[in-house]
Amino acid sequence: SILIVDFGSQVTQLIARRVREAGVYSEIAPFTTAAEAFARMKPKGVILSGSPASVLEQGSPRVPQEIFDSGLPVLGICYGQQVMMHQLGGEVVLGDSGEFGRAFIEIQDSCVLFDGLWHARESHQVWMSHGDKVVRLAPGFRPVATSPGSPYAVIANDERRYYAMQFHPEVVHTPDGARLLANFVRHVCGLSGDWTMAEFRAAKIAEIRQQVGDGKVICGLSGGVDSAVAAVLIHEAIGDQLTCVFVDHGLMRAGEAEQVVTLFREHYHIPLVHVNAEALFLGGLAGVTDPEAKRKFIGKTFIDVFEAEAKKIGGADFLAQGTLYPDVIESVSFTGGPSVTIKSHHNVGGLPARMNMQLVEPLRELFKDEVRALGRELGLPDVFVGRHPFPGPGLAIRIPGEVTKERCDILRKADAIYLEEIRNAGLYDTIWQAFAVLTPVRSVGVMGDGRTYDSVLALRAVTSIDGMTAEAFEFPAGFLPRVSTRIVNEVRGVNRVTYDYTSKPPGTIEWE
Ligand code: XMP
């Protein structure tokens, strides 16, 4: 495996993804706990991330000395390069200009990182983002590439197997970056690149059996992909020691609750308690219009219903959750200070503390796309595994104003037409998330010879890597008019359709 030491760069997660894409297991540890992670993981190599910090600042992060003492290969990226030079006897100075964005580097010499990829005297595009720069190399290093702003764009010490670069190979704006990282993990660290989902599945099953013994496990299904994949994997490990509870709040997309129930009961024969709590949720939402009040009510009620069901089945020793890696990576913060709550997210995160149970979280090392790959490996249907993300509070936060059964049904119909058209156009998988919002605005229209006064529907589709930032998706000409016509013709209660072009930031993906 590879240990990635995180110094707080915005893109550290991408390093982990690129390494895993090269078929090598990797984990990220913040620099503060990197020494422990290094001892526990016994990696075959270490990658040092970038950082907003400067090695010249008092108290800025350092590489634990154990890593340099181990004799293992190390790759430094951006700050990672600077901190390596600083600690190994080179010199870093405050940059007066810096390089930000696209840059071109000149290859000076051959280097194992460039194997099968780059040759001397060629020029290649990379992505830079740095102010400080290295001005003197530590002993044993040689420059192998330069750029106008950094004489030491890539440096190498072949004897110690230390390599470093000023640019970011992990971002897509460095087109050959993934292959540079693959060369490091395979050719320098000697890892074979055979980490696969099949292997992960087998290892996790053994681990779950060991953890659970003959205990009972309960799993809350949200109807989404993560909890479903976790449940199917756990069931494969321990069979009917697992019971799933699906709290159906009646705020799912068209047909999705039924799909989950059929999949679990008929396809996998996994014991499933399906709690139809639509009346309870809609009853509690009556008259509620404030977005945070909706979110809080739904989150709390979900937990209440789940707890009551857990009692009915006689409790359990373990609680299973579909927690993903991005939720568990401890973030490295340099700003201190409390961050503002934009939205209170609903997931089952509040449960463990309250129920005082041990957790089984078999997906906690995986990224979303890896969970999808594992789902496919476990035989979950593609249409299920590839679903767009769906928020815990469901359609309630896509109906600004009061949520009623009637408005949920209108939205479900319109949303289904929109998604059907997107699938037919072959666009579903290029879009991160697409959905309809039923606005509280009514507008005047004319249908046949009559006047209408009905709701305005908004369509949203965004592209995104992780949901943190997003851009509105540009549909091909003719697509939106076609969807608009179909919705107004087929869905009673909607007489006007608009498209939301707001990016995130400043907007958010969901409307509430
Ligand atoms: P926003 O609207 O904050 O959404 O830009 C970012 C991503 O998170 C999803 N989302 C949620 N997911 N529970 C979830 O599990 C929630 O309460 C929740 N609220 C928003 C949203 O759909 C988007 O993918």
Side-chain angles (χ1 to χ4, degrees):
S1 64
I2 293 283
L3 169 65
I4 297 158
V5 180
D6 184 19
F7 292 117
S9 152
Q10 297 282 320
V11 288
T12 302
Q13 284 195 25
L14 294 179
I15 307 174
R17 300 180 60 128
R18 297 290 103 85
V19 172
R20 290 181 183 194
E21 282 158 19
V24 171
Y25 183 67
S26 67
E27 277 186 38
I28 298 172
F31 68 93
T32 45
T33 57
E36 284 107 284
F38 183 69
R40 170 177 57 78
M41 279 173 70
K42 302 188 177 53
K44 291 275 188 290
V46 177
I47 299 179
L48 310 174
S49 87
S51 176
S54 162
V55 294
L56 303 168
E57 278 162 26
Q58 271 266 311
S60 56
R62 294 289 176 263
V63 182
Q65 191 55 37
E66 296 88 313
I67 292 179
F68 290 132
D69 291 343
S70 68
L72 289 172
V74 179
L75 175 70
I77 294 173
C78 194
Y79 181 88
Q81 181 196 46
Q82 295 161 8
V83 76
M84 257 170 113
M85 287 304 100
H86 189 78
Q87 287 182 247
L88 298 175
E91 192 184 348
V92 178
V93 295
L94 276 178
D96 35 21
S97 52
E99 287 173 292
F100 298 93
R102 189 149 58 133
F104 286 87
I105 60 166
E106 286 285 336
I107 311 304
Q108 304 297 320
D109 208 344
S110 62
C111 172
V112 58
L113 298 181
F114 307 158
D115 277 0
L117 195 60
W118 291 353
H119 306 93
R121 288 180 301 282
E122 287 174 357
S123 172
H124 291 281
Q125 183 189 320
V126 300
W127 194 75
M128 296 270 192
S129 177
H130 69 107
D132 295 357
K133 65 180 179 193
V134 175
V135 291
R136 186 165 47 82
L137 294 183
F141 281 85
R142 66 190 169 104
V144 290
T146 63
S147 77
S150 358
Y152 304 123
V154 186
I155 57 176
N157 178 338
D158 299 299
E159 197 186 316
R160 295 189 74 176
R161 296 182 296 166
Y162 287 173
Y163 299 88
M165 47 194 72
Q166 185 53 72
F167 60 87
H168 287 269
E170 67 274 33
V171 303
V172 293
H173 314 284
T174 300
D176 292 326
R179 293 177 63 194
L180 293 175
L181 287 167
N183 278 347
F184 176 73
V185 300
R186 294 200 185 146
H187 298 176
V188 179
C189 304
L191 292 158
S192 56
D194 56 3
W195 186 69
T196 60
M197 270 306 151
E199 202 183 302
F200 181 86
R201 172 188 188 173
K204 271 296 156 188
I205 284 173
E207 204 178 290
I208 294 165
R209 285 187 183 140
Q210 161 120 50
Q211 185 193 359
V212 171
D214 52 13
K216 275 170 67 181
V217 182
I218 187 168
C219 181
L221 294 184
S222 65
V225 177
D226 306 341
S227 54
V229 171
V232 171
L233 182 68
I234 294 170
H235 187 258
E236 189 166 301
I238 58 166
D240 292 355
Q241 284 164 258
L242 170 74
T243 305
C244 291
V245 175
F246 174 30
V247 178
D248 184 353
H249 53 26
L251 302 163
M252 302 284 287
R253 286 177 287 217
E256 291 195 341
E258 296 78 0
Q259 202 186 359
V260 173
V261 173
T262 313
L263 192 65
F264 273 68
R265 290 205 179 132
E266 284 163 32
H267 185 77
Y268 286 105
H269 304 288
I270 298 177
L272 175 73
V273 181
H274 178 198
V275 194
N276 186 340
E278 186 185 32
L280 178 67
F281 279 88
L282 287 178
L285 285 169
V288 181
T289 55
D290 175 68
E292 277 299 292
K294 286 182 189 174
R295 283 176 169 275
K296 294 225 164 88
F297 168 77
I298 294 169
K300 179 187 172 299
T301 308
F302 188 96
I303 292 178
D304 289 346
V305 174
F306 184 84
E307 252 186 325
E309 288 305 317
K311 274 206 192 101
K312 272 193 217 158
I313 60 169
D317 311 292
F318 297 89
L319 178 70
Q321 295 202 133
T323 317
L324 303 193
Y325 199 38
D327 307 325
V328 300
I329 298 175
E330 240 183 281
S331 60
V332 171
S333 163
F334 286 94
T335 46
S339 58
V340 192
T341 302
I342 307 288
K343 301 176 183 188
S344 14
H345 267 217
H346 156 79
N347 42 39
V348 279
L351 272 173
R354 225 168 106 165
M355 297 186 78
N356 197 19
M357 289 158 93
Q358 276 197 66
L359 287 179
V360 184
E361 297 178 302
L363 313 182
R364 54 183 288 133
E365 289 102 8
L366 300 185
F367 290 106
K368 185 84 183 180
D369 50 340
E370 293 173 327
V371 171
R372 292 188 166 132
L374 178 61
R376 289 192 190 98
E377 175 70 35
L378 290 164
L380 283 156
D382 256 345
V383 280
F384 181 79
V385 167
R387 270 185 191 171
H388 289 170
F390 188 66
L395 300 182
I397 57 166
R398 293 177 179 174
I399 303 177
E402 189 179 6
V403 181
T404 62
K405 166 95 172 128
E406 190 200 357
R407 291 187 75 70
C408 288
D409 288 338
I410 292 175
L411 179 56
R412 259 190 286 265
K413 254 194 196 160
D415 190 68
I417 292 171
Y418 183 38
L419 292 178
E420 180 186 312
E421 288 291 337
I422 288 176
R423 284 190 193 276
N424 290 346
L427 297 171
Y428 191 83
D429 293 334
T430 34
I431 295 171
W432 165 266
Q433 230 173 336
F435 55 89
V437 173
L438 187 60
T439 80
V441 176
R442 295 173 82 193
S443 80
V444 173
V446 52
M447 273 184 115
D449 293 324
R451 175 187 192 269
T452 59
Y453 185 52
D454 280 329
S455 293
V456 177
L457 188 89
L459 301 179
R460 185 132 173 84
V462 297
T463 52
S464 175
I465 304 290
D466 52 12
M468 303 296 289
T469 60
E471 271 181 277
F473 183 73
E474 285 277 4
F475 283 103
F479 178 86
L480 287 172
R482 185 164 69 243
V483 174
S484 167
T485 306
R486 268 199 69 189
I487 290 174
V488 172
N489 285 347
E490 295 174 37
V491 183
R492 257 203 123 100
V494 175
N495 70 349
R496 190 178 296 267
V497 174
T498 64
Y499 188 66
D500 175 2
Y501 264 110
T502 320
S503 61
K504 173 183 180 175
T508 55
I509 295 176
E510 305 287 348
W511 277 33
E512 292 196 326

